[in-house]
Amino acid sequence: YPEESPEAKITMNCRARANPPATYKWRLDSRDIDMDADDHYSFVGGNLVISNPVKNKHVGMYSCVATNDYGAIISREASVQFGYLDFFSSEERQSVRVKEGQGAVLLCAPPPHYPAELSFRWMLNEFPIFIQLDKRRFVSQTTGNLYISKVDASDSGNYSCFVSSPSISKSVFSKFIPLVPLAERPIKKYPADLKVTFPDTTALVGQNITLECFALGNPIPVIRWRKLDGQLPSTHELGMSGAHLHLNNVQFEDAGTYQCEAMNSKGKDYHSARVSVEAYPEWVDHINSTEKAIDSDYTMSCVASGKPKPYVRWLKNGTVYDKKEMKFTGLTFEDSGMYQCIAENHHGVIYANAELRVIACAPTFEHNPVKRVLGAKNSRVVIKCQPKAAPKPSFSWSKGTELLSNSTRMFIWEDGSLEILNVTLADEGRYTCFAKNDRGKANSTGSLSITEATKITLAPSNADVTVGESARMQCAASHDSSLDITFIWSLDGHVIDLHKDRQHYERTPNGSSNGELLIKNTQLKHAGRYSCTAQTPLDNVTASAQLVVRGPPGPPGGLRVTDITDKSVRLQWSCGADNHSPISKYTIQYRDSFSKDVWKDATTSPEVIEGNVETATVVDLFPWTEYEFRVIATNTLGTGDPSTPSAEVLTLEAVPVVAPSDISGGGGTSRELTITWTPVQPQYYSGPNFGYIVAFKPHDGSEWWRVTVADPEARRYVHKNASISPSTEFEVKVKAFNSKGEGPFSHTAIIYSAQDAPSEAPTRVEGKALSATEAIVWWLPISHSHVDGYQVKYWKKQDDSEGGAHRVAVPGKGNHTRLEGMKPDSHYLIEIRAYNAAGYGPPSPHFQIYTKKAPPSQPPRIIGKKLKGHLVNIAWEHVEPLWNESSIDGYKVLLRQQGHSTGMLYTTSRRTIDLPVPREGDFVVEVRATSEGGDGFPSFILNSSLFTGKL
């Protein structure tokens, strides 16, 4: 109950099925509520209403007791708590200053609240601008903290934690926290560092849970998940760019140790925790209402599953029952009443209710007389005798006038039923059951008729087929003509559902006494023992045959990896099932840490692995790379399923063998020599501590200068030296190194030192959005005499990447340009820099533009068109924009000749217009809504439709 609720009452429902109708009372914390002593309480039927609830009086556990002449039952308990969410402290939050490239954590520190469940978002600068979460920014739904893996200049602003309590529909937000990125050049890189991790977690069966992991680092770390003691559940999903692992509909087998791994080019970080699965109580066996005879014995059974194991207790008529076991010996009328079985663990409580009614009466067959029974010749027959009687009666039987007694063929059961074995035609006749107790006696007569026995006349035969072929299993039977016969097929003891499995199974229609089964497109799973059961209402008979299905081999097992070197490993395995066709060869496949989703055929020694071999060497691997392997068997009938993948193995380190490519350079600022290259791909690192050695010398010099660049992702090196003259020719070469040594040099390239490039950034950058997809930007040109033009670069801020940025070149001394191809309702960053032959100058500060919302997508619906002399009146319905579309400013009406794209354009804020009718030629009228985001889709009217009434 929200403490600030405008509806000042709480209503709890209680209704019981009862005849006569029940009366109700309520309990608070196991004590009866005195309705007269507290005027806050009132009844509406069986419902309890608490008016103007008071926290210190009305918090607690409530239960309802329903009573009538037959007993009383108590409801499950309901909890009443008062929900609240306080406001954040009014104290100012301190600024957070972080170097660009470093990670940042903004603490939320939510205010006091109840219940515990909250959701968190963060605002930027003002309400309701919420930050967009992506692989760089993450909000923990456990703590509410905002994490930025690497800070850049665009993150500058004031941040506020926005907290919502869904249970009481209230939200509050904190004081703003200024985030100040500190410029640093060059921006440093930092290894992955997990800051958000999940604790040991307990989930309930059927529940959905979310595990969180997020890391700081530059480059932005990639999050990967695994289950250390098995495969991730098939129902798992990833969210928030991998920071969330959702486990849906959790089952006991999902329990285990889960690990998240954060990785970037500078390092890795791991976290593991245990997920335990428990269960709410659930009935395995529970009590049901029943009538029992006086003086009889009776045991009530209640069994519940759950984890932890539930504790079971009993109530009779709403009070604790004083017996430890619900076992009655010699029932009395006092044992009648309403019984409740309650199973409870710390996850919850379940109830089972039942009435026990103890009765006493003379035997009567009024509702259940002895019936006519049919029996197949030579079969077993049971004629039931089930009168209502209390206490239990004694039984005797007669056939006609002959009194029957127990023999080797006939037996009277304790419950009164008569059993006859190996019946013959001589057993036909009328049978009477006599029942007697201390309150009276009664009898009832039925009859027994004998039919012919069912026999299999055509039994199924053993068959042998190849995968994909069809097989027929014959089955026919003779039976008594007065009875219906049914054929039931089973495979290895499991009944075949011919409708569900109709893709592979079909009954062949060939008379009512034939049950032939057609098995189509046989698969390996269809092999086994097939049993045909011919069944009538009275008897059944079964015959069986074996089906062998030959097919591709099963998956090999026991895969092990040994003898690991830098470029090879040795595999050993055990052969799987050959499925009745010898294995001819094996294929080994691998996947590495750089292509987790793709399995590739491995190069092996021997090159062809014969079917009688269970070991091979995989060669031509990359050093210092994680691999998984699997083995696939093949025979003359096809290729089987792969083995379970091996555990991940890491090949040994080696000296690099690949040199950087595309050695180039030049440009840059004055007195600089800029050297660039294409970095070596990670699979060629061959070991840790990977980097580059850059060597260069003047073209006419003899001594090479060597510089070490430790960043494996580096693609350039800038050598600064005041003695370097502009456009000086240099020879340059680059090679890779790691902890094992140095690799070969690249080819030698000729490059030139820089001219004097522009040293200033354009200033006074301004702009505005023109529509949903276009904007205009302008700036103050720089005074540098060697400027060939300007580059304008723009990209969506939430993409967190300039890689996909659009670029516009403005030659000469131009100072404005139009930006096109933008996305509607989006936040764009814009930077401008001057360039010349020496390269680009420094960029301007980022300028931000918000594009307009998209124009309306719905065309106006034409609702009227009339000719009025030389005018035509067009009317249309108002266009209602969607939530993500711009508001309607008015309408544009274009009158043009058919086949032309231009004509007379009219604008109006009304929903009707009079247009002049052209004197000659066919014409078209276009009507569209217009908004600040642009023009919407048009509706078209042809002049011929003005006379036919059609659009």
Side-chain angles (χ1 to χ4, degrees):
Y1 172 76
E3 291 186 355
E4 303 166 14
S5 173
E7 183 181 7
K9 69 176 181 180
I10 298 171
T11 301
M12 284 178 284
N13 299 325
C14 183
R15 183 173 62 189
R17 291 191 302 274
N19 185 18
T23 59
Y24 300 90
K25 66 178 180 180
W26 282 79
R27 294 175 178 174
L28 171 57
D29 295 333
S30 301
R31 294 191 297 272
D32 290 350
I33 295 175
D34 186 346
M35 304 295 291
D36 298 327
D38 190 338
D39 58 6
H40 291 276
Y41 293 115
S42 61
F43 270 145
V44 178
N47 301 342
L48 180 67
V49 178
I50 310 174
S51 301
N52 300 310
V54 179
K55 186 173 183 178
N56 58 5
K57 289 180 63 175
H58 298 127
V59 164
M61 304 300 293
Y62 287 78
S63 57
C64 169
V65 181
T67 307
N68 72 0
D69 297 342
Y70 291 94
I73 55 173
I74 188 167
S75 72
R76 66 184 180 94
E77 289 186 322
S79 168
V80 171
Q81 300 291 339
F82 283 65
Y84 63 93
L85 175 60
D86 290 351
F87 290 101
F88 276 92
S89 167
S90 59
E91 293 183 8
E92 295 294 331
R93 297 283 190 110
Q94 291 185 346
S95 298
V96 176
R97 299 176 179 272
V98 183
K99 292 179 180 180
E100 291 184 25
Q102 285 186 336
V105 182
L106 303 187
L107 303 181
C108 179
H113 57 278
Y114 184 90
E117 293 77 19
L118 296 176
S119 65
F120 301 92
R121 292 188 290 172
W122 281 76
M123 294 188 300
L124 177 59
N125 295 328
E126 59 180 323
F127 181 85
I129 299 176
F130 293 99
I131 67 168
Q132 299 296 314
L133 303 181
D134 49 32
K135 61 183 179 181
R136 192 173 67 89
R137 290 173 293 198
F138 176 77
V139 175
S140 169
Q141 293 303 312
T142 302
T143 63
N145 297 341
L146 170 63
Y147 298 83
I148 304 176
S149 62
K150 72 176 185 73
V151 171
D152 60 34
S154 65
D155 293 319
S156 177
N158 296 309
Y159 292 77
S160 172
C161 182
F162 189 89
V163 180
S164 299
S165 175
S167 59
I168 63 172
S169 302
K170 181 180 179 182
S171 300
V172 296
F173 57 89
S174 71
K175 284 283 190 179
F176 281 95
I177 305 171
L179 176 60
V180 182
L182 304 176
E184 183 174 64
R185 295 294 183 271
I187 296 177
K188 294 183 180 179
K189 297 190 176 182
Y190 302 92
D193 181 15
L194 281 167
K195 291 298 184 184
V196 180
T197 56
F198 59 99
D200 287 341
T201 303
T202 298
L204 291 178
V205 169
Q207 192 178 28
N208 300 335
I209 63 170
T210 297
L211 308 181
E212 293 185 334
C213 264
F214 189 76
L216 310 185
N218 182 22
I220 299 170
V222 174
I223 305 291
R224 290 178 178 166
W225 293 85
R226 60 169 59 92
K227 187 168 183 271
L228 296 184
D229 40 12
Q231 298 292 319
L232 286 173
S234 59
T235 58
H236 84 276
E237 295 177 346
L238 297 179
M240 294 302 300
S241 300
H244 279 168
L245 174 65
H246 302 292
L247 303 181
N248 300 319
N249 189 24
V250 170
Q251 301 300 311
F252 283 119
E253 56 267 25
D254 298 335
T257 302
Y258 289 76
Q259 182 187 78
C260 65
E261 173 193 64
M263 178 175 64
N264 65 8
S265 60
K266 298 297 290 182
K268 298 180 180 180
D269 197 5
Y270 302 87
H271 171 74
S272 301
R274 181 81 185 167
V275 173
S276 303
V277 180
E278 298 188 347
Y280 193 86
E282 185 176 356
W283 290 122
V284 176
D285 184 23
H286 62 80
I287 53 178
N288 294 290
S289 295
T290 187
E291 287 184 347
K292 290 296 178 182
I294 194 166
D295 294 332
S296 64
D297 297 338
Y298 177 56
T299 299
M300 286 185 174
S301 177
C302 252
V303 180
S305 64
K307 190 176 180 182
K309 182 175 177 61
Y311 165 73
V312 177
R313 53 194 172 94
W314 294 85
L315 301 178
K316 179 185 178 184
N317 293 332
T319 58
V320 176
Y321 197 49
D322 58 2
K323 289 188 177 181
K324 293 183 179 180
E325 292 183 335
M326 291 295 99
K327 189 171 184 178
F328 301 91
T329 302
L331 283 168
T332 66
F333 292 121
E334 286 72 26
D335 293 320
S336 294
M338 296 300 302
Y339 289 82
Q340 290 181 279
C341 175
I342 303 170
E344 178 178 10
N345 64 16
H346 61 251
H347 297 301
V349 186
I350 53 176
Y351 292 71
N353 309 324
E355 179 188 358
L356 172 61
R357 188 174 295 183
V358 180
I359 61 172
C361 66
T364 174
F365 288 93
E366 180 182 359
H367 300 294
N368 198 12
V370 176
K371 297 177 175 60
R372 176 176 180 262
V373 175
L374 292 175
K377 189 184 295 183
N378 300 320
S379 70
R380 166 183 172 273
V381 171
V382 175
I383 307 174
K384 293 185 177 180
C385 180
Q386 296 175 321
K388 181 177 181 180
K392 180 181 176 181
S394 60
F395 298 96
S396 60
W397 281 85
S398 69
K399 178 187 178 188
T401 59
E402 178 189 357
L403 189 65
L404 302 177
S405 59
N406 290 338
S407 68
T408 57
R409 241 176 29 93
M410 290 190 180
F411 184 75
I412 300 174
W413 291 359
E414 187 179 348
D415 68 357
S417 299
L418 176 64
E419 178 183 29
I420 308 173
L421 303 178
N422 301 318
V423 293
T424 66
L425 289 174
D427 292 318
E428 288 189 326
R430 295 177 61 78
Y431 289 79
T432 301
C433 175
F434 299 89
K436 179 181 178 181
N437 67 9
D438 60 3
R439 295 180 180 255
K441 59 184 178 180
N443 63 75
S444 178
T445 301
S447 64
L448 172 63
S449 300
I450 306 301
T451 65
E452 289 296 326
T454 304
K455 298 178 181 178
I456 296 286
T457 58
L458 181 60
S461 302
N462 294 338
D464 188 325
V465 296
T466 300
V467 165
E469 295 179 346
S470 295
R472 290 183 183 273
M473 288 286 178
Q474 297 176 320
C475 188
S478 63
H479 62 99
D480 192 287
S481 59
S482 66
L483 301 175
D484 292 332
I485 189 169
T486 301
F487 290 90
I488 299 171
W489 283 92
S490 61
L491 171 59
D492 294 332
H494 301 285
V495 174
I496 297 171
D497 186 330
L498 295 176
H499 176 73
K500 182 179 178 182
D501 296 329
R502 60 185 179 275
Q503 181 180 356
H504 292 286
Y505 293 109
E506 180 182 315
R507 275 283 307 280
T508 305
N510 190 13
S512 62
S513 296
N514 192 300
E516 183 178 82
L517 178 68
L518 173 64
I519 309 168
K520 303 175 292 184
N521 186 23
T522 56
Q523 303 299 309
L524 294 172
K525 65 181 180 180
H526 297 133
R529 188 161 192 80
Y530 282 80
S531 297
C532 170
T533 300
Q535 180 171 300
T536 70
L538 299 183
D539 63 346
N540 64 75
V541 62
T542 299
S544 302
Q546 196 76 23
L547 176 65
V548 173
V549 180
R550 303 181 186 273
L559 179 60
R560 294 190 303 120
V561 184
T562 61
D563 301 345
I564 301 169
T565 71
D566 58 340
K567 294 182 180 179
S568 68
V569 299
R570 187 167 186 79
L571 301 186
Q572 292 177 306
W573 62 89
S574 301
C575 66
D578 64 6
N579 292 321
H580 311 288
S581 179
I583 296 171
S584 57
K585 70 169 185 174
Y586 289 99
T587 302
I588 296 177
Q589 294 184 328
Y590 72 90
R591 63 182 178 188
D592 56 38
S593 52
F594 305 104
S595 55
K596 278 288 189 182
D597 299 326
V598 180
W599 288 94
K600 304 171 186 174
D601 287 350
T603 303
T604 61
S605 176
E607 187 174 346
V608 177
I609 307 171
E610 299 291 342
N612 58 352
V613 173
E614 295 183 2
T615 183
T617 300
V618 181
V619 298
D620 296 343
L621 299 176
F622 290 116
W624 199 59
T625 300
E626 287 182 341
Y627 285 96
E628 291 177 274
F629 300 93
R630 67 183 187 183
V631 183
I632 303 172
T634 300
N635 62 17
T636 56
L637 299 178
T639 298
D641 293 330
S643 67
T644 300
S646 70
E648 285 189 349
V649 297
L650 182 67
T651 50
L652 301 183
E653 304 165 16
V655 174
V657 296
V658 175
S661 59
D662 302 326
I663 311 301
S664 185
T669 58
S670 179
R671 306 298 186 261
E672 287 183 353
L673 175 64
T674 300
I675 303 167
T676 63
W677 61 89
T678 297
V680 174
Q681 294 298 308
Q683 58 263 43
Y684 298 105
Y685 286 177
S686 298
N689 303 319
F690 186 85
Y692 302 99
I693 295 174
V694 182
F696 55 95
K697 70 180 183 70
H699 182 62
D700 55 359
S702 59
E703 183 179 352
W704 289 88
W705 297 338
R706 288 167 56 107
V707 176
T708 299
V709 178
D711 182 0
E713 294 185 357
R715 55 183 62 241
R716 68 197 300 263
Y717 168 73
V718 179
H719 179 69
K720 299 182 180 182
N721 191 321
S723 65
I724 296 178
S725 301
S727 301
T728 300
E729 184 177 340
F730 279 83
E731 294 181 23
V732 177
K733 56 185 178 181
V734 184
K735 67 178 175 180
F737 72 90
N738 63 19
S739 58
K740 295 291 286 186
E742 298 178 4
F745 268 117
S746 67
H747 70 273
T748 301
I750 302 299
I751 63 173
Y752 294 86
S753 59
Q755 310 180 30
D756 288 334
S759 57
E760 303 173 41
T763 58
R764 294 179 60 181
V765 177
E766 296 184 32
K768 65 178 182 178
L770 301 177
S771 68
T773 60
E774 294 183 338
I776 189 170
V777 63
W778 60 91
W779 60 91
L780 184 66
I782 65 176
S783 58
H784 196 290
S785 58
H786 299 295
V787 173
D788 295 337
Y790 297 89
Q791 182 197 70
V792 181
K793 184 164 65 173
Y794 59 101
W795 65 95
K796 283 177 68 174
K797 181 177 180 181
Q798 55 265 43
D799 288 348
D800 191 35
S801 172
E802 300 181 25
H806 297 273
R807 292 171 172 79
V808 178
V810 181
K813 298 187 180 298
N815 72 332
H816 66 276
T817 188
R818 198 180 189 93
L819 309 182
E820 299 175 338
M822 306 173 88
K823 300 292 185 183
D825 194 19
S826 298
H827 186 184
Y828 276 85
L829 298 179
I830 299 165
E831 72 173 27
I832 305 170
R833 61 175 77 200
Y835 65 85
N836 61 15
Y840 290 96
S844 67
H846 290 167
F847 180 73
Q848 305 185 49
I849 285 182
Y850 293 84
T851 54
K852 312 289 187 183
K853 286 186 174 182
S857 57
Q858 296 298 318
R861 192 171 81 86
I862 307 301
I863 58 175
K865 50 192 186 306
K866 296 179 183 177
L867 283 171
K868 295 163 47 177
H870 296 294
L871 298 174
V872 59
N873 177 264
I874 308 293
W876 57 89
E877 285 185 349
H878 174 64
V879 174
E880 192 66 40
L882 303 177
W883 66 270
N884 59 348
E885 296 177 349
S886 297
S887 300
I888 307 301
D889 293 337
Y891 298 90
K892 289 182 179 180
V893 182
L894 177 65
L895 176 63
R896 60 178 175 82
Q897 285 191 335
Q898 192 165 356
H900 292 72
S901 59
T902 59
M904 290 296 296
L905 181 65
Y906 302 85
T907 59
T908 178
S909 59
R910 303 172 62 190
R911 296 197 294 275
T912 181
I913 192 170
D914 291 330
L915 300 174
V917 179
R919 294 182 179 179
E920 57 184 25
D922 293 335
F923 64 90
V924 178
V925 178
E926 297 181 11
V927 183
R928 71 185 78 209
T930 186
S931 68
E932 67 173 3
D935 296 339
F937 290 95
S939 290
F940 297 94
I941 308 170
L942 304 178
N943 63 339
S944 58
S945 69
L946 298 173
F947 305 102
T948 64
K950 298 179 180 177
L951 294 182

